[in-house]
């Protein structure tokens, strides 16, 4: 079982500077915060926090920095070091969204190191929201991204060879745990699929979110999950909050997970409760099937309150703000993995 990580007291100098600078209309001090999925979110938050902890640090830049930090780690299962699809190709999905409903996505993208930054370019330098496959790759190259060699990482190559023996597609619940390098590895490091998703609030009171993934390992060639789909894997509404998802993407898409949670939060439901209701909705579609699935949501509201809920136990998420840097256990629908 994961141990709760002790927080480090950080940014003592930055605290008064940021906390005093911005006050919400209600005179509440806006404190920047970032939350990220899984134990690997601990390091991702560090990268995001370097941006967020600056006086003018933007949530959008922070979430992109967090996502880049994990995409750049070739030993990890997000980005080009990740496991391939069943044809042996690594295909990447990512999206990003800011506080003004600007958003950009890429999916089924091959041989580009930082899909999150391509997604941001789609958002900022194209008339579109979503580019996929070859078109997304062409766009990335035109924007100055480099084409990588497309070889599998040594780890992915060996995982793929083992998988080829049976060639069965069967997602493993909570396989993400410990799959991303983190200060303390919490499980066996097995890799089946993975996603890094994070949402942040900056000291100006603006929210943003980013989600990056190689999708489910050994998926069908061409499969796209929830992660790059605005409204499913990620949604940001600056009047309400920011939500992102991890786990079996098909189930998240079915309920438009992130925007469903935002609409619940808009009606006054707290982040954790809203995540619980989304999980219950998925479970109620097919309770038997749900026993074999993991889906988890994390949510942050515009005041910095956060919460999460998962189908299965052992999902964790990481929080970084002016006072805390820690990994939190998350409540779940089922109390033990079946
Ligand atoms: C997907 N939601 O492609 C992603 C997978 C995931 O941790 O979150 N893995 O369906």
């Amino acid at each position: 079982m994961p141990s709760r990580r002790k927080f480090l007291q950080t940014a003592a100098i930055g605290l008064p500077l940021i906390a005093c600078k911005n006050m919400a209309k209600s005179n509440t001090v806006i404190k920047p915060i970032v939350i990220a999925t899984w134990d690997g979110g601990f390091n991702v938050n560090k990268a995001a926090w370097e941006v967020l902890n600056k006086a003018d640090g933007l949530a959008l830049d922070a979430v992109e920095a967090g996502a880049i930090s994990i995409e750049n780690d070739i030993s990890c299962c997000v980005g080009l070091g990740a496991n391939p699809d069943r044809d042996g190709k690594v295909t990447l999905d990512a999206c990003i969204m800011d506080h003004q409903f600007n958003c950009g996505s890429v999916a089924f993208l091959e041989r580009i190191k930082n899909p999150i930054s391509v997604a941001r370019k789609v958002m900022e330098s194209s008339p579109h929201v979503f580019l996929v496959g070859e078109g997304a790759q062409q766009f990335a190259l035109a924007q100055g991204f480099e084409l990588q060699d497309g070889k599998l990482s040594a780890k992915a190559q060996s995982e793929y060879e083992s998988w080829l023996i049976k060639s069965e597609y069967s997602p493993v619940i909570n396989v993400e745990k410990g799959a991303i390098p983190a200060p303390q590895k919490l499980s066996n490091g097995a890799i089946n699929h993975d996603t890094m998703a994070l949402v942040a609030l900056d000291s100006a009171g603006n929210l943003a979110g980013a989600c990056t993934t190689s999708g489910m390992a050994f998926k069908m060639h061409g499969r796209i999950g929830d992660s790059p789909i605005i409204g499913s894997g990620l949604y940001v509404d600056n009047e309400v909050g920011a939500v992102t998802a991890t786990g079996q993407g098909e189930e998240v898409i079915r309920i438009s997970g992130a925007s469903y949670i935002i609409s619940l939060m808009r009606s006054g439901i707290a982040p954790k409760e809203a995540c619980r209701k989304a999980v219950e909705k998925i479970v109620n579609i097919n309770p038997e099937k749900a026993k074999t699935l993991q889906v988890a949501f994390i949510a942050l509201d515009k005041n910095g309150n956060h919460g999460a809920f998962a189908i299965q136990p052992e999902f964790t998420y990481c929080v970084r703000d002016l006072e805390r840097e820690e990994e939190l256990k998350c409540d779940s629908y089922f109390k033990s993995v079946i």
Side-chain angles (χ1 to χ4, degrees), residues 38 176 193-195 213 215-216 223 225-227 246-250:
W38 300 107
E176 295 91 342
H193 56 92
D194 227 305
T195 298
T213 189
M216 318 292 285
R223 181 262 187 194
D226 61 314
S227 301
T246 182
Q248 186 75 36
E250 282 74 4

Side-chain angles (χ1 to χ4, degrees), residues 264-277:
L264 294 170
M265 287 166 64
R266 179 176 281 284
S267 74
I269 298 175
K272 178 178 169 185
E273 212 33 45
C275 292
R276 179 203 303 271
K277 284 181 184 299

